Amino acid sequence: MLAAALAAPPALARDASVRLNDALRLEWRGDNANRRTDDDDYGVVVNKLDVAGSAGDLTAEARVDAVEVVGAPTDDFQDDARLERLTARYPLGDLTLTAGDFYRQIGRGIALSLRKVDDLGVDVGLRGGRLEYATGDAQVDAFVGRTNSVNLDPVSQHFTADPEDVVVGASARVARLGPAAVSAWAVQITNEHRPVSDQEFPDRSNTVGGALELTDLLEAVTVYAEYDLQQVRDTDAVNTAQAAYASLDVYLGDWSVLAEGLWLDDFRQQGSPNAALDTDFDYNQPPTLERIDQEVLNTTHALGGRLRIERSLLDGDLVAHANGLFKHTDPGTCTRVAQVHGFAGVEWLFQGGSSRLNASGGYRDERADPVASDCVGAVPEARRIKSMAHGELDYVQHLTGRWSLHLTSLNEARTLDDADYLRGSTLVGVDVAQTGALSFEYGFDTQNQAPGVRNHFFAGIAAWHAQSWLQARAVIGTQRGGIKCVAGICRDFPEFAGARLELIGRHDLGG
Amino acid sequence: MKHVFLTGLALAAWLAAAPAAALESTPPAERTTVADFALERLDGGRATLSAYRGQVVVLTFWATWCQPCKQELPFLSRFDAADARVTVLAINTDGPETRSQVRRLVRSKKLEMPILLDSEGNVTQRLNPRKQMPLTLFLDGEGRLAATKDGFASGDEVAIEALLKQLVAEVAPPGGDAAQAGPAGKAGEGGGAAGRGKAAPAGEAAPGPASAPTAPK
C-alpha cells in the first residue's frame, strides 16, 4: 500500500499538498504461557494508511485500516479493510465547517471526551458535522454525529463494531473578561444499541455545564471550576447526576502548589456495548487526580482531592515534587473504597540538557470502607483491598556525540487481598541519535504462580531510523502483560510472546 | 544463550556502523505547504499557523508524560529565544484533564515559546497521525515543510541547530538586515511575554503588551 502510494504521480496544483503516513505492523504471537489458548499461535498484519491533503483553504484527511489474520484461534478475529476516518474542513472567515470524522472534548473531559488514546487502542470519534465560530476571544460551536470507534482493537486484535450512538452538542467560550474565561455547554447522547430492546424510549442523557477560569491572577494564581448536571434515562427510569471539578494553581517564585478536587455523583457518559471489551463505551474522561499511568477504580462515582507541591531549581533543570491524594470511590454507599496515594520525585536535566534523570516513588493504599454498619460485610475497621509501593527511574546518560545510554525501570510491590506479589520492567539500551536504539527488556510478574504460567519475560528491541522518511522497530521475545492505564482509561494487556515488526513511512506530494 | 549474545553483538556492531538518517532539509522546490490551523494557546486566545509566515517555524508535538519531549523542549525554547526569525510552536497533546500539569511544567522549566493546546487531537491527527512523541516539523519562511524529526535522543540538538541555521539563512541571507533579536527579543508563552518584546504575529491575539516591531522577515 505504501509502495503504491509512493508511486503516485506528484503533479499537484501549487499550494496543494498530500501527505502520506503509513504504519505497517507484522506480528506473530506464540504461546504466551497464560494458560489460555485463544490468544496463541497466530499472525496478524495491520496496515494503517493516513492521507492528509490540502488545496487552498480546504483540508481533508482519510485513514484506511486493513487487517489480515493468519491462523486465527477464534472467530473473534476478522480480516477487515475499511475507510476508518474521512474528514474535510473549510474555513469561511471566522467560521470553520467540518464534515466527516472529528474528535471533540468539552471542559476538562467530564461532559464529553471523544479522543484517541493510542497506547490503549482507544479511538472514538464522531462522524457527522461541526460548525465553529472562533475569534481571538470568543468561540462558539455546534456539532452532531454518530460515534465511530476504530474497528480493530489493537490489544485483543478482535473486531469491534461501531457504537453509532448519536451525540449532539453545542458550546460557547468567552475569554479575556479581565483575567476570566467563561464557558457553557450542552450535550445530548442517545444510545443506539442498548441491551434492552423493548423499552419505550431509547436510553438518552442530557448534560449541561459550565466553567470559570481565572488565569494568572497577580501573575501567580490560576483557578478553574467546572460543574455539570446530567439527566439520564436508562431503561425507562430517569435519574439525575452531577459532577464538579476545581483546581487552584499558585506560583510563588520557584515554588508552585496545586490543589484540585473532584466530585462525581453517578456521572457517566455511557455509550452502547463494546463487544471487544465486554463493557460499554464511555464518552467522557474526567480528571483522575492521579498520575497519568495509575489505575482508576471508578470514574463515575467519586469524591476526592489532591495536593501537589513543586520546587524548580537550577533555572528549571531540576524539579522536585511531592503529591498527596485522598479519594473515596462510591462515597456514601456500602461499596465505598478509601484510596490514599502519596508519591514524590525529581526530574533533573544535566550536562547542558544532554542527560536526564527522572526518579519517583510512592505508596498507594485502597481499603473497603463501608459507610454504615448495616452494610453487608461491614466490619468495624476498614479492610485493605490492595496496596502498592512503587518506584520509577528514567535515566539517560549522554556519552559522546550521538551516543547515550538509557535505563528505564518501573517496579511495584503489590498486595491484593493479602496476597503479595511483585511486578516490574527494566529496560537497558543504547541510543544513537538519528540512527536508532538497541534495548534489552526484563520483566517480571509473580502474581500468578500456577504451573505453566510465565513469571519472567525477556525481550530484545531494536529501533532504526532507516531514512528520514522510514522508521523500523522490532521486538522479539516475551513481554509481561497486565493493566495499563492512561489518564483513567485502563486496559488489561495480554502477555506477549513472539515477534513484532513495525514500519512507519511517510511521503509528501505536491508543492 | 550463546546465540542471544552473538545476536546482540551483531546488532550492536550494526548500530555502530549504520549511517545516520541525517536531519536534512528537503530542497525548496520539493517542499509542500502545511495547511493552516488554529489552536487555543495555553495563555489564552488562539494562534494560527499562517500568522507566522515569514519566520522559520518549528512545530513540536509533545505530552507531559513523554520524557524525551521534556528533554527536547528546553533546547527548542532556547532556539526560539535566540533568534527572532525562529518561532517554536509547542503543540501539547495531553487531554484537558491534565491542563494544570501542562501549565506547571511550562512554568517550572521556564519554557518561553508559545504553547498550543490540541487536546482534541484534530491537528495532531493531520500532522502526526501516529502520535509519535515527540515529533518535530520544521517549516521554512513560506510555511512549507522542510524536514521532519521523529523522537529525540541526546545529540539531536546539534543537528536541529544546524538545520535551523540553514533555514534561517534562506529567510534572511547572511549579511542581510534581519538582525538577530537575542533572547530578550521574543514574546511567547504567558508568564514571560511582557518582558520579551517579540510582537504577536499578524492576526493573532497574543496576551500582554505587544508593542515591539514584528520579527524581521
Side-chain angles (χ1 to χ4, degrees), chain A residues 224-453:
Chain A
Y224 179 87
E226 173 178 339
Y227 175 75
D228 295 276
L229 177 65
Q230 185 183 52
Q231 181 198 59
V232 186
R233 186 170 61 215
D234 186 359
T235 321
D236 294 337
V238 177
N239 300 307
T240 300
Q242 302 174 85
Y245 169 79
S247 67
L248 170 68
D249 279 288
V250 180
Y251 304 94
L252 299 168
D254 291 330
W255 290 87
S256 76
V257 177
L258 163 69
E260 58 180 346
L262 176 71
W263 174 50
L264 300 170
D265 180 21
D266 279 332
F267 193 98
R268 184 181 184 188
Q269 294 290 28
Q270 187 173 13
S272 290
N274 181 339
L277 301 185
D278 199 23
T279 181
D280 293 332
F281 282 95
D282 278 313
Y283 298 144
N284 69 332
Q285 197 175 348
T288 65
L289 310 177
E290 270 285 10
R291 283 179 7 154
I292 193 168
D293 63 345
Q294 289 292 296
E295 183 180 353
V296 178
L297 297 175
N298 188 321
T299 57
T300 301
H301 202 190
L303 175 66
R306 173 168 81 139
L307 184 67
R308 176 185 173 106
I309 299 173
E310 190 171 295
R311 175 83 195 271
S312 175
L313 299 158
L314 304 177
D315 202 28
D317 283 343
L318 177 63
V319 177
H321 60 89
N323 302 261
L325 175 154
F326 180 80
K327 186 159 67 172
H328 268 150
T329 58
D330 286 336
T333 73
C334 290
T335 56
R336 184 171 77 174
V337 172
Q339 177 191 335
V340 176
H341 189 189
F343 58 97
V346 293
E347 298 184 358
W348 181 27
L349 289 175
F350 55 101
Q351 290 186 326
S354 295
S355 298
R356 70 173 190 256
L357 174 67
N358 302 326
S360 62
Y363 180 77
R364 174 173 163 165
D365 184 272
E366 291 160 29
R367 293 170 189 266
D369 188 19
V371 68
S373 57
D374 58 351
C375 291
V376 174
V379 291
E381 294 182 0
R383 176 178 59 85
R384 187 170 69 184
I385 304 170
K386 57 184 174 183
S387 66
M388 174 179 71
H390 60 90
E392 301 83 21
L393 177 70
D394 171 59
Y395 173 47
V396 172
Q397 176 61 57
H398 183 231
L399 299 175
T400 179
R402 296 183 293 123
W403 290 75
S404 52
L405 285 175
H406 191 177
L407 169 65
T408 301
S409 190
L410 316 167
N411 297 285
E412 298 168 352
R414 290 175 170 243
T415 301
L416 178 63
D417 292 332
D418 295 327
D420 297 332
Y421 61 100
L422 301 172
R423 181 182 285 177
S425 297
T426 296
L427 187 143
V428 182
V430 179
D431 296 348
V432 183
Q434 300 149 59
T435 299
L438 275 180
S439 307
F440 171 77
E441 183 182 78
Y442 165 65
F444 57 93
D445 186 340
T446 64
Q447 183 176 19
N448 190 342
Q449 294 291 336
V453 172

Side-chain angles (χ1 to χ4, degrees), chain B residues 51-55 84 179 181 185 197-203 210-217:
Chain B
Y52 293 91
R53 280 284 174 98
Q55 297 180 43
K198 181 179 175 184
S211 55
T214 303
K217 295 182 169 57

Side-chain angles (χ1 to χ4, degrees), chain A residues 50 61 63 103 116, chain B residues 118 121-129:
Chain A
D50 287 275
E61 299 122 46
R63 191 174 88 214
Y103 301 106
K116 187 178 179 186
Chain B
D118 189 29
N122 289 316
V123 172
T124 305
Q125 179 62 29
R126 189 196 314 167
L127 296 175
N128 181 12

